[in-house]
Amino acid sequence: MSATLAPAPRWARRLAGITRRSPTLAIGAAILFGFALMALLAPWIAPFDPVQADARNVLAAPGGAHPFGTDGNGMDVLSRVIAGAGWAFGIAIPAVLVGLVVGVPLGLYTGYRGGWPDEIMMRGFDALRVFPSIILALAVVAAAGPSLLNVVLVIGFLDSPVFARVVRAEVIALRGSTFVESAVSAGNPTWRILFVHILPNAIQGAMAQTAVRAAWAVRISATLAFLGVGIQPPTPEWGAMIRQGAEYLVTGQWWVGIFPGVALILMVLGLNMLGDGMQDMLDPRRKAATR
Amino acid sequence: MTPVLEVEGLEKRFPAQGGRTVHAVNGVSFTINAGETLGVVGESGSGKSTIGRAVIRLLKPDGGQVRFQGRDITRLPESACRPLRSEMQMVFQDPWSALNPRIRIGDLIAEPLLLHTKLPRGERQDRAEHLARRVRLTTELLTRYPSELSGGQLQRVCIARAIATNPKLIVLDEPTSSLDLSVRAGILELLAELKAETGAAMMFISHDLGTVKLISDRIMVLYLGGVVEYAPAAQVFAEPAHPYSQALMSAHLPADPMAVLRRHVLEGEVPSPINLPPGCHFASRCPVAVPDCRRHAPELRPVHGDTAHQAACLRIAEGANRIPELQHG
């Protein structure tokens, strides 16, 4: 054989390195990559419009033009499952961002400042923890109305204590360090000490949490929709689809609920695996523990 | 001319376990003039670092007064201290932890300029290069991160940061103690040079007399948060008056390898700064202490009528302050 083997490009070698170090992360990332492609290419790969009702073709069994069958409105289940990926990302990503934007500055400030602001925040979080978060989300969304924005905000706010706590713990460890003292003595204003000097050294823990929190967001949003207070049908949201499907399960039309259910499970699994891998890589304490 | 720094009766206490109080600094007074270096010597726990942090207001004093260029800054809130920080800077003991690991060396050196001047970015970079050369760092280090530099190089970075805004006062908190012996001399030389060039007042904190000797004009010896001797450097080395200073001197290795070592090793326990005993705090370890020492706290008094040389020891007046080993040696 005379074919010369070109050296693998750098990104490919890095990818291989990450796969070897954390297969969990690689599998999770692969699953999510699949879902991301699905969400982005939905208009081109979905055989039908996901909200196109067809009264003459209700509850058709999988096969033929509808590989996943049709639901009670005659909408194509495959197209709806594909479109659902976009909704899942569309809720999870903004929700995690809201959680970060609210939680990180809170954790930074209270961790650095200590004293009563810290005390109030921590007691507030403890009070929040008394309620299961799904009940809280349920109550707030039921009261505020089931719009996408409300669902995203509620999930984001409920997520923020997680980020605040992780960041706060890091800040407390860094607060007394000499480089922070040196930043003070150089004349840095407090906001610059927090965001320029402490934040870059305190953010890994929070970043490692993002994928796991996204998985939680997907799950909560589906639960809300399933309970009928979240995103409303006929929007192709997996939770809402599972709810519709549940009604037909007893009468034998299993495909309406099972396919979105499998998609939901796969996505949450992918995010959790990615999150686990990220925590192993980004969180130095976990890294040391797993080595 | 007003001294750069005037400190009067400085006090600092810290809360300890069980609602008790650690008396870290108890009524310390001193002044530093422009171009002058005060060496602050004492063992760990003597309050020397606390004093250093209190005078540039990294800590809030509990009592006494700190005047910087004639202005009382004792109770100034942090926001009001900030503009003053360009004029008072600090170099810390451990250069490995004194620099933000995620910021490039060039930006670290230029940071005080960013904070206190309106210079444009390019100008700041030029100044950073100039500062780097001034502390003998090659300019190619400016794009590196702190973890890529050696301890000596990092301490030079810290010094460059400290002199970036031409401060009037620089507090050096054991700047050489955590460095290898081979690197120390270079840093001390650099500091001596900067002292001559910048005309800044310096406060050089150390537990090692040999280090302080090189660049100090005056020396303040601390014991348990109090001044036991305060005098021109030459006098402290030639003729230490306080028994504690004498013991410190005898622990210091002379440069001459043939010199006969006459050491006095102190015995006894250092009293706890939580329960300070009445009288002289050094009495429990002092070889020349008499019962009176445990009753009356000595004040700083001129030694033999010399107001420049002050010591706090009852027995100086009686001429009984020499500790035995040195007498017989």
Side-chain angles (χ1 to χ4, degrees):
Chain A
M1 299 290 281
S2 62
T4 48
L5 276 170
R10 203 160 150 190
W11 63 266
R13 269 178 292 150
R14 276 197 71 173
L15 211 64
I18 290 173
T19 310
R20 214 176 318 109
R21 281 215 323 267
S22 175
T24 322
L25 183 138
I27 295 170
I31 292 174
L32 283 176
F33 186 67
F35 275 112
L37 275 184
M38 200 163 114
L40 290 172
L41 302 177
W44 295 280
I45 57 173
F48 292 91
D49 182 337
V51 289
Q52 175 77 58
D54 181 357
R56 288 159 306 169
N57 200 4
V58 189
L59 295 174
H66 302 285
F68 285 8
T70 59
D71 67 8
N73 299 319
M75 297 176 188
D76 179 48
V77 174
L78 173 62
S79 302
R80 290 173 63 74
V81 167
I82 291 173
W87 281 89
F89 280 116
I91 291 163
I93 294 171
V96 169
L97 286 179
V98 168
L100 282 169
V101 165
V102 175
V104 169
L106 262 181
L108 266 180
Y109 180 73
T110 56
Y112 185 67
R113 163 82 207 254
W116 62 265
D118 186 38
E119 199 65 28
I120 288 175
M121 184 188 80
M122 293 312 280
R123 293 297 83 80
F125 288 172
D126 288 347
L128 272 181
R129 269 214 295 207
V130 173
F131 302 97
S133 44
I134 181 67
I135 305 277
L136 267 176
L138 204 65
V140 177
V141 176
S147 70
L148 173 66
L149 181 69
N150 285 345
V151 170
V152 163
L153 287 180
V154 164
I155 296 176
F157 276 108
L158 287 176
D159 252 349
S160 59
V162 175
F163 295 120
R165 273 176 204 274
V166 182
V167 170
R168 174 182 173 272
E170 294 282 334
V171 173
I172 288 176
L174 289 172
R175 181 171 65 182
S177 65
T178 316
F179 80 81
V180 172
E181 207 179 11
S182 141
V184 175
S185 79
N188 278 282
T190 308
W191 69 266
R192 221 173 166 269
I193 290 172
L194 290 180
F195 288 97
V196 176
H197 290 284
I198 295 184
L199 184 62
N201 293 288
I203 196 68
Q204 288 100 318
M207 291 327 275
Q209 291 285 334
T210 50
V212 173
R213 296 324 292 173
W216 184 80
V218 170
R219 222 152 39 89
I220 290 283
S221 139
T223 311
L224 289 174
F226 181 79
L227 295 172
V229 295
I231 309 293
Q232 297 295 311
T235 310
E237 204 271 355
W238 291 336
M241 293 163 71
I242 296 169
R243 177 190 164 84
Q244 283 182 305
E247 294 166 18
Y248 300 116
L249 214 50
V250 280
T251 52
Q253 288 85 13
W254 52 269
W255 57 87
V256 181
I258 293 296
F259 288 116
V262 170
L264 178 69
I265 290 172
L266 263 177
M267 184 159 187
V268 171
L269 183 75
L271 281 167
N272 273 323
M273 288 178 88
L274 179 70
D276 241 33
M278 276 165 70
Q279 284 178 356
D280 287 344
M281 289 214 174
L282 291 178
D283 190 335
R285 276 167 302 237
R286 292 240 341 216
K287 199 193 276 179
T290 51
R291 203 174 269 159
Chain B
M1 213 178 92
T2 352
V4 174
L5 181 70
E6 298 162 273
V7 176
E8 259 173 50
L10 182 71
E11 275 177 41
K12 182 68 195 174
R13 296 177 286 270
F14 294 106
Q17 270 185 343
R20 291 178 302 178
T21 309
V22 175
H23 300 267
V25 180
N26 307 304
V28 168
S29 307
F30 59 93
T31 58
I32 311 180
N33 294 307
E36 191 187 41
T37 298
L38 175 72
V40 179
V41 191
E43 49 197 6
S44 31
S46 61
K48 51 194 195 301
S49 290
T50 307
I51 296 174
R53 282 169 169 76
V55 298
I56 63 162
R57 285 303 316 278
L58 285 179
L59 289 174
K60 195 167 193 164
D62 291 313
Q65 202 182 49
V66 178
R67 282 194 302 278
F68 178 68
Q69 297 186 307
R71 180 179 172 197
D72 184 358
I73 62 164
T74 322
R75 301 202 186 285
L76 228 51
E78 172 58 28
S79 55
C81 290
R82 217 166 287 139
L84 288 175
R85 301 218 175 276
S86 69
E87 303 186 57
M88 41 192 205
Q89 288 283 333
M90 180 148 180
V91 175
F92 295 87
Q93 174 172 2
D94 179 4
W96 287 272
S97 59
L99 296 168
N100 188 333
R102 294 185 180 265
I103 298 184
R104 289 177 200 275
I105 300 300
D107 293 332
L108 283 167
I109 294 179
E111 189 183 37
L113 298 170
L114 170 73
L115 296 168
H116 299 287
T117 68
K118 291 191 165 58
L119 294 175
R121 190 175 169 75
E123 183 88 356
R124 291 201 303 267
Q125 277 170 342
D126 292 347
R127 292 267 197 109
E129 279 178 28
H130 175 77
L131 283 162
R133 278 193 293 270
R134 201 160 161 204
V135 297
R136 315 253 146 64
L137 286 173
T138 51
T139 47
E140 67 217 42
L141 293 180
L142 294 178
T143 55
R144 307 266 184 88
Y145 286 94
S147 60
E148 300 171 62
L149 271 62
S150 72
Q153 288 172 325
L154 290 174
Q155 198 58 295
R156 286 171 193 272
V157 173
C158 293
I159 294 170
R161 245 166 93 82
I163 61 170
T165 51
N166 294 318
K168 301 282 184 296
L169 171 69
I170 306 176
V171 175
L172 304 147
D173 186 9
E174 307 232 24
T176 59
S177 324
S178 59
L179 301 177
D180 286 343
L181 264 176
S182 54
V183 183
R184 277 186 204 181
I187 297 284
L188 284 173
E189 239 168 67
L190 172 66
L191 290 172
E193 216 176 277
L194 291 174
K195 177 195 168 187
E197 284 172 23
T198 62
M202 291 191 186
M203 179 168 169
F204 192 109
I205 298 167
S206 179
H207 61 267
D208 175 32
L209 274 170
T211 312
V212 166
K213 190 177 183 177
L214 271 164
I215 65 168
S216 298
D217 301 297
R218 270 187 299 164
I219 287 180
M220 182 164 83
V221 183
L222 291 172
Y223 189 77
L224 275 178
V227 181
V228 295
E229 189 156 357
Y230 181 46
Q235 254 165 305
V236 174
F237 281 94
E239 203 190 344
H242 196 281
Y244 178 65
S245 314
Q246 294 168 40
L248 273 184
M249 293 303 147
S250 78
H252 165 230
L253 286 178
D256 177 5
M258 300 308 282
V260 183
L261 284 182
R262 295 167 301 185
R263 295 201 150 190
H264 183 88
V265 179
L266 289 175
E267 282 165 14
E269 291 282 309
V270 184
S272 152
I274 294 176
N275 297 309
L276 282 175
C280 175
H281 299 154
F282 185 59
S284 61
R285 294 164 83 194
C286 183
V288 298
V290 291
D292 243 12
C293 293
R294 294 173 192 275
R295 283 194 287 273
H296 306 290
E299 278 169 29
L300 267 185
R301 290 246 167 73
V303 175
H304 309 312
D306 178 0
T307 48
H309 186 176
Q310 301 187 335
C313 179
L314 288 177
R315 308 223 61 198
I316 292 174
E318 310 163 33
N321 57 325
R322 297 274 126 218
I323 61 179
E325 264 70 3
L326 294 178
Q327 230 167 31
H328 299 154

